[in-house]
Structure formats: C-alpha cells, structure tokens
Amino acid sequence: MDSSSRGPPRVKNKAAAPIQISAEQLLREAVDRTDEKLKAPTQRFADLEELHEYQGRKRKEFEDYVRRNRINMNNWTRYAQFELDQKEYRRARSIFERALDVDSTSVVLWIRYIEAEIKTRNINHARNLLDRAVTLLPRVDKLWYKYVFMEETLSNVEGARSVFERWMQWEPSEDAWSAYIKMEKRHGEFERARAIFERFTVVHPEPKNWIKWAKFEEENGTSDLVRDVFGTAVETLGDDFMDEKLFMAYAKFEARLKEVERARAIYKFALDRMPRAKSANLHKAFTTFEKQYGDRDGIEDVILSKRRVHYEEQVKENSKNYDAWIDFARLEETSGNTDRVRDVYERAIAQIPPTQEKRHWRRYIYLWLFYAVYEETVSRDVERTRQIYTECIKLLPHKRFTFAKLWLMAAHFEVRQGRLTAARKLLGQSIGMCPKDKLFKGYIDLEKKLFEFTRCRTLYTKYLEWNPSTSQSWIAFAELERGLDDLPRARAIYELAVDEPQLDMPELVWKSFIDFEEEEGEYERTRALYARLLDKTDHVKVWISWAQFEIGAPDANPTEEAVDDEEDRPVSEEAKARARAIFERAHKVMKDKDLKEERVALLSAWKSFETTHGSAEDIEKIDKQMPRKVKKRRKLDDDSFEEYMEYVFPADDASAANLAKFMANAYQWKAAQDQNGDS
C-alpha cells in the first residue's frame, strides 16, 4: 500500500517537548502540513476555446438566474462581478444597466456599479453614474457622501464644493452640513465655512448647532464674533425655545476670558427667564461658577435663592402642598435667619385644610409640630412654643378627630420644663375630650417612667373601661402587676380578660395567661387553663402546645436527682405518658369531628415527639396512622366536575377495605357457580 494513501501520521509520544515552541510557529507548521486534498481546486484552461466554453456556460447559468428571479439584486451583482473578473467591462456595464432597469432605487446596486467603475479607473463613468444616482435618489446621503469623497480624493475641491451645494439645496441632515463645513476647514476656507454655518443655523436652528458655530468662531475667529453668534442665537430662539445649554456655553466662554461679571449677568439673565423645570443644570452650573469665582456669601445666597425660587413656585402653584411648605421651612432653618423661618411657618400654618377630614390634616399638623420644635430647640423661646401647642390644640376639631402625637409632644414639652402638673392636665384633657389608644399608652408610659404605678393602675382601669376589647392592654396591665410582684392581682386581671367576650385577639391573652402560670411554676393551674381553653376551642395548636408543655413539666413526685439538676434532666417516662395521652385525646377529638387538616397537623407533631422521645414501635404505630392523599372528583353547581385532593386515613379506610374483600369473594363464588353450571 502506498504511503501517500495512509493519511496523516499519528503522534505516538504525546508528552511535552523538552523545548517549548511559540504559538506562531505552531500555526505556521499547521498550515504547512495541511493536507493537499483539503485545498480548493484550481481550474486551469488549456486554450482559448476551453476558456470561451467555460465563459459561455457560466453566462448561461447567470442568465437563467436573472430570468427566474429578476428582482433579486444579488443575482445581478454576482453576474456583473463575474464579467468584471473576466475583464469584460462592457458586458459588466450592460448587466448593471439591465439591473437598474429592473430596480433603479436599489442603493446597493448603485454603489456596486460606481465602485466597479472607480476600481477600473473609469472616473468619468463613475462621475456620470454618481450624477444620475443623486438626481434619482436625492435623499440617500450615502450616494452624496460617495460623490464628494471621490471628488475630494481627486483633489477636485471645486467639484466637491459644487456637489455639496447641490446637496444643501435639499436641506439634508445635520451631519451633511457638518461634513461640508469640515471640508472647507480642511482647505482653510474659513469664510466659506462661516457662511455655511449661517445657512446651517437657518435650516436647523437647534441650540447645539449654534454652540458648534460659536466653538468654530472661538477656534478660528475673534471673541467679538463669538459674542455675535451667541447674541444672534438668543434673539433667534426667543423665550419659547430657550435652552440652558446655550447659556451655559455662553457663560463658560466669558469665564474663560476672565469676564466674570459678563458671565454672572448671562446666568442671571437666563435664570430670570427660564422656568425651573428647564433650568436644573443651569442652576448647578451657576452654583459651580459662584464657588469658583464668588465669595462665601455669594455662594450661599445662590444656593438658597435657587431653592427658594423653586419652593416659592411650588407653594404658589398649590398653596395646600404641605410637603413643599415643610421643605421650604427646613431650607430657611439652614439659613439661620429666624425672621425668615417664622415668616414661612406662619404663612404655612395659615393654609388650613378646606374640609374636616383627617386625611387632609395629616401633613398639615406636622407644620405646627416642626414649628414648635424649632422654637424650643433653636430659638429657645419657651412661651412661643407653648403658645404654638395651645393654638394648634384649639384649632383641631377634637369631636371629629384628633392627633395623639400633638397631645403627647405638648405634654413632654411641659415635662421638660418641669411642669408635671401641666403635662398631666394636658393628657387628662385629651383623654376626656377624645380618648384614643395612643393617648392612653403614651400617658401610661409617662407615668411608668416617673414610677407612679398607682396612677398607672388607674389609667389602665380607665383604658379598659373605655375599650375592653384590646388584648394587648389586658396583657400589659397584667405584666405591670407581675413586675410589681402582685401575682394575685395579675391573675385576677387575666381572669377578667379571658372572660371578656369582645376581645380582638383572645388567643394572645390565653397564651400570655398560660405562659404566666407556667413561668411561675403553677403547673396544675396551667393544665386547668389548657382544659378551659379546649372547652372553648378545639384548635389543634392548643392540643400540641399542651402536649409540649407536659413534656417539659416536672413529675408529681420527682426524684432527688431530677430536683437537683432540673434544667438538664431527661424527659421522664411519666412526662412522656402524659404527653402521649394528650396526643391520643386530641386525635380522638379530631377523628370524631372529621377535621382532616387538623388531624394531619396533629399526627405530624405526634410523630416528631415520638421520633425524639419514643421507641421504634411508637414511631411505627404513628406511621400506620399517617394518611395518604387521594385525588377525587366532585360535581359543581353548573353540572361540571372538578378534581380535588383529600386525605384518607388507614383507620377510616378499614370498612371500605372489608367491603372490597367481601365483593371480591362474591365475584369468585359467582364465577365458580357459572363454571359448575356449564359442566
């Protein structure tokens, strides 16, 4: 067998070479060792006859392509490229012309045709084609760019300029004008460029184009010409089309020339005429300018005046915008001018809400509160602060609604002034006029901090007489008595609470009562409470909680070791038996009442208990009682059916299993009878 047909040699030793070579060398050797069979074949012609025969065959193929699909320009361009490769320029030109007859708006076809003429150095042909193209498609910028690029490459500047002039008559995009200006700048024709800018800003009078013109004049002209450009731009745009970028560029130009007063005048001129929404960046630029060229007072005045104008516009637009008034007052507080701050606050609190609905007063009341805090902490005017609180309290319609925060802040203010009697009088007045949960809680917290526990008891009593349905208040009252080591009183409060029929969250009271008895070591009382609670509700969580309590409860007759080491003692068998008995009772109740979801939750908790404290037999016993999910169907009111999942417990399923076994035996008996009859 010839060695040339064996394929490339295999590398047996794949270990790393002792001398490493570069990636470049590897690539070069890979190319050199490429199999010759993988290279594209080269077609060679023996004589002209064979070449003509090949050309004729290819032309016939291309003609068939363009005849079958005339609108596919790719067929035409490939056909023309073939003729160009054969140096048949007349034929290629004919093919391009035939294609243009099919679709004269194909930009790609025009570009290919023009580039073919340029590559073959037929400049006049290319110029004629470009002239035809831009005449037929004057809105296609690519053709114009091609035209002017060719003329400028041939150093025919006048020809390029004439093409640009023809193009500009169509008022093209900004990029076209910029290209015309750049060409004139390249050839040093600055006067012509200036004239083009003038026409450019007439066609596209956007502020950015005026800025471009001003930058051109700054680079190639004089400062007077730059000012003329900016001045003309301001007059042309007018107040309706003002743009902050134009004024910023104008002011920065003057600042570069060290004309600080001119720049400041420009900024102020613009800020006085432009609305706030359109001049945010202008304000920032003016602030930066003042930081750079102004003094400290000027900088602060600029910042404050800028924001002051903004807030004045907001409150002028909507005098009931209380958030804007608050921000305005905070701004004036930073200025340190007390008269200004008081003026803003007085103007703000004069904007009384139009209706007596609390939602309209929620933000308004904060104006009074912030005003009082400012007078107390900054101005140190105690009498004025007291007057503010008094006037605000008089203003509110307390029979319809009130604000507990106002009463509490006023009372705490009096406490800080050492007037406890006045503070208690205020809070007592608030409870008498408009009792609220927050007022009672705030008053009680104040008395707790003053260690007036007798007053706290009195307040809790009035609080619960006014609203006995709040569970948290009962719990807080009981916790207060427990903290004072008055356990009988705390227990009595809990008893009253659980007997209250209108509690909003009775489960919290019961839980707190049970935890109280358990923490005090009253385990029998705790069991009695669980029993009383289960008389009211059979909730599965109560049963589980009772069982968990029994696990942690000590035995009736503990051993000496258990008493000595009560925290680390293991769970006794008696405790396990008590907990297991609770689980069994709960399971029987859930089963009798057919509470399947609760029964599943109980069995899960029971299994967790047996996993931790029980034996393998106990765990297996619970596993046998665990249900399985079964998909069932039920009929709806509209005679349709829906599928639902239901738990099936093994204990409940015993009767069904017996019935199925009976039916199976009956079928076997019937089959045996039929077989005997046939025989």
Side-chain angles (χ1 to χ4, degrees), residues 324-530:
W325 281 112
I326 292 171
D327 294 337
F328 195 3
R330 290 290 175 84
L331 173 68
E332 295 297 349
E333 287 181 17
T334 58
S335 67
N337 191 333
T338 305
D339 294 335
R340 278 183 174 275
V341 176
R342 287 174 176 168
D343 177 67
V344 172
Y345 273 122
E346 292 294 337
R347 289 167 56 196
I349 61 178
Q351 307 300 325
I352 302 174
T355 61
Q356 289 190 353
E357 294 185 22
K358 190 172 183 177
R359 60 189 180 89
H360 293 150
W361 290 68
R362 292 187 187 277
R363 299 302 295 168
Y364 171 73
I365 202 67
Y366 277 97
L367 289 169
W368 288 91
L369 299 179
F370 290 149
Y371 191 10
V373 170
Y374 171 78
E375 292 292 348
E376 181 185 359
T377 58
V378 181
S379 299
R380 307 289 182 180
D381 193 337
V382 176
E383 290 301 325
R384 193 179 185 92
T385 305
R386 185 175 290 112
Q387 183 181 2
I388 292 170
Y389 281 123
T390 304
E391 294 298 327
C392 185
I393 290 172
K394 290 180 180 179
L395 182 64
L396 286 176
H398 298 287
K399 292 185 178 180
R400 294 179 61 89
F401 61 86
T402 189
F403 291 95
K405 192 176 188 67
L406 172 64
W407 292 98
L408 293 174
M409 286 186 65
H412 286 128
F413 163 73
E414 296 294 352
V415 171
R416 286 191 294 272
Q417 306 307 317
R419 302 179 60 191
L420 296 179
T421 304
R424 289 189 176 110
K425 185 177 180 181
L426 270 174
L427 292 174
Q429 181 183 358
S430 67
I431 291 173
M433 293 176 60
C434 44
K436 289 185 66 175
D437 290 335
K438 289 183 180 180
L439 286 173
F440 277 107
K441 291 178 181 178
Y443 197 176
I444 292 169
D445 289 340
L446 176 63
E447 296 295 353
K448 279 183 182 180
K449 292 177 182 178
L450 298 174
F451 298 100
E452 294 287 347
F453 300 113
T454 304
R455 291 181 179 272
C456 291
R457 286 181 176 132
T458 305
L459 288 172
Y460 269 123
T461 303
K462 292 182 178 180
Y463 185 14
L464 294 173
E465 288 176 357
W466 172 70
N467 185 11
S469 63
T470 56
S471 302
Q472 294 291 349
S473 59
W474 286 101
I475 296 172
F477 193 6
E479 289 293 334
L480 172 68
E481 297 296 349
R482 184 184 179 188
L484 298 174
D485 291 332
D486 196 342
L487 300 183
R489 188 186 289 269
R491 190 172 286 114
I493 292 170
Y494 275 124
E495 291 292 346
L496 290 174
V498 296
D499 291 338
E500 177 60 44
Q502 298 180 354
L503 283 178
D504 53 358
M505 290 184 290
E507 65 276 6
L508 295 181
V509 178
W510 279 101
K511 183 180 183 305
S512 180
F513 196 4
I514 291 170
D515 292 343
F516 163 74
E517 296 292 1
E518 182 180 357
E519 291 170 3
E520 294 297 331
E522 298 289 344
Y523 299 109
E524 292 301 326
R525 288 180 180 272
T526 306
R527 292 187 181 95
L529 284 176
Y530 273 118

Side-chain angles (χ1 to χ4, degrees), residues 78-236:
R78 285 198 297 268
Y79 191 6
Q81 186 62 41
F82 170 75
E83 296 295 351
L84 290 172
D85 294 340
Q86 305 302 316
K87 310 298 182 184
E88 294 286 348
Y89 301 123
R90 294 175 62 86
R91 286 180 177 273
R93 197 173 291 122
S94 174
I95 293 166
F96 276 123
E97 292 294 340
R98 288 168 59 193
L100 288 175
D101 290 339
V102 175
D103 186 6
S104 60
T105 61
S106 177
V107 178
V108 176
L109 185 62
W110 280 106
I111 295 296
R112 294 284 181 84
Y113 193 3
I114 293 164
E115 288 180 349
E117 296 292 357
I118 293 175
K119 287 180 181 178
T120 56
R121 299 182 182 279
N122 294 322
I123 303 303
N124 287 331
H125 279 284
R127 188 176 285 118
N128 292 335
L129 284 174
L130 285 166
D131 190 79
R132 289 168 55 192
V134 297
T135 303
L136 183 64
L137 302 171
R139 292 297 181 186
V140 180
D141 293 344
K142 192 172 184 179
L143 297 172
W144 289 103
Y145 281 123
K146 197 79 175 175
Y147 201 172
V148 297
F149 177 74
M150 186 191 73
E151 295 294 354
E152 190 174 2
T153 304
L154 296 172
S155 300
N156 186 9
V157 180
E158 288 297 330
R161 188 175 291 119
S162 63
V163 174
F164 266 121
E165 288 296 332
R166 288 176 57 190
W167 191 6
M168 296 305 111
Q169 291 178 2
W170 291 95
E171 297 184 357
S173 63
E174 299 174 3
D175 294 335
W177 290 92
S178 298
Y180 191 8
I181 293 168
K182 288 178 181 178
M183 188 198 74
E184 296 294 357
K185 288 171 65 178
R186 281 196 299 271
H187 297 283
E189 297 290 343
F190 298 112
E191 289 297 330
R192 289 181 180 273
R194 189 172 289 114
I196 296 168
F197 263 119
E198 187 174 353
R199 294 159 56 194
F200 177 29
T201 52
V202 172
V203 177
H204 297 284
E206 286 80 10
K208 61 180 180 179
N209 297 328
W210 289 98
I211 295 173
K212 290 180 183 178
W213 188 5
K215 187 177 294 185
F216 166 79
E217 295 293 355
E218 187 176 358
E219 294 175 356
N220 306 290
T222 62
S223 58
D224 292 335
L225 290 175
V226 178
R227 291 190 181 103
D228 291 341
V229 171
F230 279 120
T232 307
V234 173
E235 293 178 2
T236 303

Side-chain angles (χ1 to χ4, degrees), residues 277-299:
K278 296 182 179 180
S279 60
N281 293 327
L282 186 63
H283 277 285
K284 293 180 181 178
F286 189 24
T287 304
T288 305
F289 169 80
E290 288 293 345
K291 288 180 180 178
Q292 186 175 1
Y293 298 103
D295 53 6
R296 181 175 179 179
D297 294 337
I299 295 170

